[in-house]
Amino acid sequence: MGDKPLILAVDHNRRNLELMSQLLSQESYETVTVGSLEEFDQVLNERTGIKLALVDIAGFDRSVWERCERLRAADIPFVIISPRQSAALSQMGLEYGARGVLIKPLTVKELLGVMRSLL
Amino acid sequence: MLQQRLSTGIVGLDEVLHGGFTPGRAYLVRGGPGTGKTTLGLHFLTAGSANGEKVLFITLGEPEAMIRQNAESLGFDLSGIAFLDLSPTPEFFAQVETYDIFSPAEVEREPTTRKIVEQVERLKPSRVFIDAMTQFRYLAADPYQYRKQVLSFLRFLVERDTTVLFTSEGSAEAPDADLQFLSDGIIHLEYAPEGRTLCVNKFRGSDFLSGRHAMRLGERGMEVFPRLMPEVYWREFALETISSGVPELDELLHGGLERGTVTIITGPSGVGKTTLGLQFMKKAAGRGERSVVYTFEEGVETLLARCEGINIPVRAMMERGTLSVVKVEPLRYTPDEFAHLVRREVEEEGARIVMLDSIAGYRLSLRGEDLVGHLHALSKYLANMGITTLLINEVEHITGEFRATEVGISYLADNIIFLRFLEMGGELHKAIGVLKKRVSDFEKSLREFQITRYGIKVGRPLTDLRGILSGTPELVGK
């Protein structure tokens, strides 16, 4: 499956993860999904070859930023998905190394566009 | 060339639409909650399935089970109707984790569209009812997308020769002007305090009966009573005169009353107006003709008993079908519904004389406004159909200065016959006279009028009295 880029999707909401992986597999991406910080850590420790991460920060506490720093350290580009328009959150996300901040609800077209530009 | 039409399943609505829907078009039914949109759709679909057509009900709000239950209690046979239930399931609510990462438009539209396309391709229905189209609004990212989607959806159906009926829950908060523009016709349902109405605002490629028509949602679903447009109805009839059966009365009228005319019989209470009208019906029954009396105040039994007492054999006439006495309950009908009753009598039962007892009763008993206007339309219709119409008008004044009618309806009448009380030598007498007769000449003198147990008696012209119209006549000195 080497030709399918591996995408890490992080979301506290299971249904969101389902929809996201549905969309990504339709678009011929390989997806690994993560619903909690523990899983997040596990994946960061064990998986390699992640090309891009999509991190929905809703439902996580501040420690999600530590994982973002790990992503940056591992040279994995990532996009923050924020539940609302907030300058402070966007600012923080970008400080921790995010390549961009997307506001929910996402439109499929926009999301795919952003992903393509980062891969 | 006469267009082929598709019955709506409602007789009155077919009439309003000059035959029904044009096949392969999309029609909008709009109206507030409880105005009968779904009922109209059920009529539309069952009319198709009764014809052996394939029909599809797409529901986006109310679940199928509930629709079935309601429809069956109204007596609809849903066995031939296919359902596509796109209403939210209870599991949807129980799913704790609902999504928020994409908008519903992104997530739900595709599966919804796919289900519809699959079902339509498989069933190839000739009629589709969509309840309610406005639900699709939430599946569109913006109004432009919505409009485009609805248009292409309708085109998808119409290209398959499907006739589409779709509903809209139009309100100030969620306007449906866009749907109105892109439909081929609009049926607007309304529920006002004076009754339910149906109004066609648009009907591409055909004429229709304009204005608000009375509508009733009852035990058998929806009934529509098209507004009476007298000019639409017309039939050939001989301009003959019908006799009253009382020679002196015929003399007074120079033969009797003509067919296709409206006669107002006016006079104070108890003078014998109704009896006079029934006298014409008695004679007509002898010729085998049918008459109808609509009584607004008096009970049927009292009327019958009264007539029997004066040698008008109403019961025998009713048994033979030459007379029908209908009691109109107060506030039961709107003028359009009442006109519908009368039309049925005229067009199906072949009634030749129609009497409304009385004009005041008509105005008090029917719901709605502009009752004189409606009465005018009804009279005009009856005249066009060659019916002899008798309108009973009660004047409040027993004696005193003469007046013909009090509510400004004299203009309705071709003929005005008046009855009044006279005081002569300390005795109460009655007199009958003719005030107006459009088609023929008439006797200008008054005659004495009596109601006996042998029937109506009209005496010789009262030419030796003067000042009759004042109520206290004097003998002309000889």
Side-chain angles (χ1 to χ4, degrees):
Chain A
M1 303 269 182
D3 51 342
K4 282 188 179 178
L6 181 61
I7 310 292
L8 168 63
V10 182
D11 205 306
H12 192 65
N13 179 323
R14 289 279 160 202
R15 181 79 183 120
N16 279 350
L17 276 180
E18 261 171 55
L19 287 170
M20 184 61 92
S21 61
Q22 233 172 55
L23 170 75
L24 294 179
S25 72
Q26 260 174 38
E27 297 294 323
S28 303
Y29 292 109
E30 187 85 357
T31 320
V32 53
T33 60
V34 153
S36 67
L37 291 176
E38 293 72 43
E39 283 175 39
F40 203 163
D41 286 331
Q42 205 180 340
V43 168
L44 285 175
N45 292 337
E46 294 168 8
R47 288 298 280 262
T48 55
I50 295 172
K51 293 280 186 288
L52 175 70
L54 304 169
V55 184
D56 181 356
I57 55 169
F60 293 113
D61 59 16
R62 306 184 64 84
S63 46
V64 73
W65 299 120
E66 294 166 20
R67 278 68 178 184
C68 289
E69 289 202 300
R70 288 189 63 185
L71 285 172
R72 179 159 64 170
D75 245 348
I76 300 171
F78 66 96
V79 176
I80 294 291
I81 298 169
S82 160
R84 59 183 184 278
Q85 190 82 46
S86 154
L89 273 177
S90 305
Q91 183 74 35
M92 208 180 289
L94 294 171
E95 272 172 26
Y96 283 103
R99 298 293 183 90
V101 177
L102 295 173
I103 311 296
K104 286 197 277 192
L106 311 178
T107 59
V108 171
K109 243 186 179 161
E110 190 188 359
L111 175 69
L112 295 176
V114 168
M115 288 174 61
R116 234 169 272 134
S117 74
L118 292 173
L119 285 169
Chain B
M1 197 188 86
L2 203 67
Q3 260 179 317
Q4 200 202 338
R5 292 300 178 92
L6 212 57
S7 169
T8 60
I10 302 167
V11 179
L13 183 55
D14 283 348
E15 204 173 306
V16 170
L17 297 175
H18 286 198
F21 294 128
T22 310
R25 299 283 179 100
Y27 297 98
L28 168 64
V29 183
R30 59 192 304 267
T35 48
K37 298 184 294 296
T38 310
T39 311
L40 177 55
L42 287 169
H43 277 290
F44 170 68
L45 292 182
T46 44
S49 68
N51 254 346
E53 294 171 34
K54 289 197 173 119
V55 300
L56 175 63
F57 191 132
I58 301 178
T59 172
L60 292 126
E62 212 180 336
E64 178 186 340
M66 212 185 284
I67 295 173
R68 280 189 182 279
Q69 207 176 12
N70 296 343
E72 265 147 31
S73 71
L74 288 173
F76 286 105
D77 174 20
L78 298 191
S79 56
I81 297 181
F83 271 86
L84 177 58
D85 189 346
L86 298 174
S87 64
T89 55
E91 289 78 44
F92 176 78
F93 179 66
Q95 262 176 4
V96 186
E97 295 204 327
T98 53
Y99 61 91
D100 65 349
I101 194 153
F102 299 117
S103 70
E106 302 266 359
V107 180
E108 315 271 349
R109 190 174 63 232
E110 220 190 281
T112 306
T113 315
R114 202 176 48 238
K115 276 186 210 158
I116 293 175
V117 170
E118 270 171 19
Q119 181 85 313
V120 168
E121 303 257 272
R122 197 178 63 232
L123 195 68
K124 298 189 175 34
S126 66
R127 299 179 187 223
V128 170
F129 177 56
I130 304 156
D131 194 18
M133 188 66 108
T134 27
Q135 296 286 331
F136 282 111
R137 194 186 298 280
Y138 307 109
L139 297 185
D142 56 57
Y144 174 70
Q145 295 289 340
Y146 172 60
R147 187 186 156 91
K148 223 166 91 178
Q149 270 161 31
V150 170
L151 255 179
S152 61
F153 177 32
L154 291 178
R155 197 155 297 163
F156 164 79
L157 291 171
V158 163
E159 266 177 10
R160 284 156 179 75
D161 288 327
T162 308
T163 310
V164 187
L165 198 62
F166 59 99
T167 66
S168 133
E169 294 149 337
S171 65
E173 295 77 44
D176 61 348
D178 39 7
L179 289 179
Q180 296 185 45
F181 280 113
L182 48 82
S183 63
D184 293 307
I186 302 170
I187 297 170
H188 188 88
L189 306 177
E190 236 179 320
Y191 189 13
E194 64 269 15
R196 296 176 183 277
T197 58
L198 176 148
C199 173
V200 175
N201 301 20
K202 169 180 177 183
F203 195 43
R204 275 185 190 148
S206 167
D207 200 6
F208 59 90
L209 296 182
S210 60
R212 286 189 180 160
H213 309 284
M215 184 258 280
R216 188 171 276 272
L217 284 180
E219 287 157 15
R220 286 170 298 125
M222 183 183 284
E223 270 184 286
V224 176
F225 307 93
R227 206 157 65 107
L228 195 57
M229 307 269 189
E231 66 280 3
V232 177
Y233 304 95
W234 192 83
R235 71 178 175 200
E236 293 264 352
F237 59 91
L239 250 180
E240 55 189 359
T241 306
I242 61 168
S243 155
S244 65
V246 180
E248 292 82 0
L249 187 54
D250 288 347
E251 258 172 60
L252 190 69
L253 290 164
H254 281 211
L257 296 175
E258 289 76 18
R259 293 203 196 277
T261 61
V262 178
T263 304
I264 291 183
I265 301 175
T266 182
S269 173
V271 78
K273 301 179 295 297
T274 311
T275 313
L276 179 61
L278 282 158
Q279 178 62 41
F280 281 93
M281 300 185 166
K282 176 183 168 183
K283 180 72 182 167
R287 293 191 299 269
E289 288 175 14
R290 181 176 169 87
S291 308
V292 196
V293 182
Y294 293 97
T295 166
F296 291 90
E297 292 131 28
E298 201 175 0
V300 174
E301 273 311 309
T302 1
L303 182 75
L304 296 187
R306 206 152 64 94
C307 290
E308 292 288 339
I310 52 172
N311 195 25
I312 300 180
V314 274
R315 286 182 209 278
M317 285 158 71
M318 287 171 77
E319 272 162 32
R320 263 182 268 126
T322 52
L323 178 70
S324 165
V325 179
V326 181
K327 168 90 173 106
V328 180
E329 298 298 332
L331 300 182
R332 170 140 166 71
Y333 299 110
T334 64
D336 286 336
E337 290 174 23
F338 180 69
H340 186 76
L341 286 187
V342 177
R343 275 188 58 200
R344 208 160 47 200
E345 269 293 348
V346 169
E347 288 164 32
E348 287 163 30
E349 304 288 336
R352 303 299 301 273
I353 303 179
V354 170
M355 176 157 90
L356 303 191
D357 188 7
S358 64
I359 296 171
Y362 177 91
R363 298 175 71 216
L364 282 174
S365 296
L366 298 186
R367 296 182 296 179
E369 288 159 5
D370 186 28
L371 291 171
V372 172
H374 281 289
L375 184 58
H376 182 62
L378 181 61
S379 309
K380 205 85 214 141
Y381 160 80
L382 288 169
N384 287 350
M385 296 299 279
I387 305 300
T388 306
T389 309
L390 305 174
L391 304 178
I392 305 297
N393 178 69
E394 183 160 319
V395 292
E396 280 175 24
H397 304 266
I398 303 289
T399 61
E401 275 306 310
F402 177 76
R403 64 201 78 202
T405 63
E406 278 156 359
V407 284
I409 45 151
S410 303
Y411 75 97
L412 283 181
D414 299 304
N415 316 313
I416 299 179
I417 301 175
F418 69 92
L419 293 169
R420 64 166 309 156
F421 290 110
L422 303 175
E423 190 224 306
M424 280 193 292
E427 269 183 53
L428 209 50
H429 290 260
K430 293 172 187 169
I432 182 169
V434 180
L435 205 62
K436 165 178 171 186
K437 199 154 183 283
R438 210 168 260 168
V439 193
S440 78
D441 201 5
F442 57 91
E443 205 175 88
K444 308 296 187 297
S445 54
L446 282 76
R447 288 175 181 248
E448 192 168 357
F449 178 81
Q450 277 178 294
I451 297 175
T452 68
R453 64 194 173 94
Y454 306 109
I456 289 181
K457 283 221 152 44
V458 176
R460 306 218 39 83
L462 295 167
T463 43
D464 48 356
L465 291 173
R466 71 158 184 226
I468 292 174
L469 292 183
S470 72
T472 47
E474 301 162 13
L475 271 172
V476 181
K478 279 186 182 160

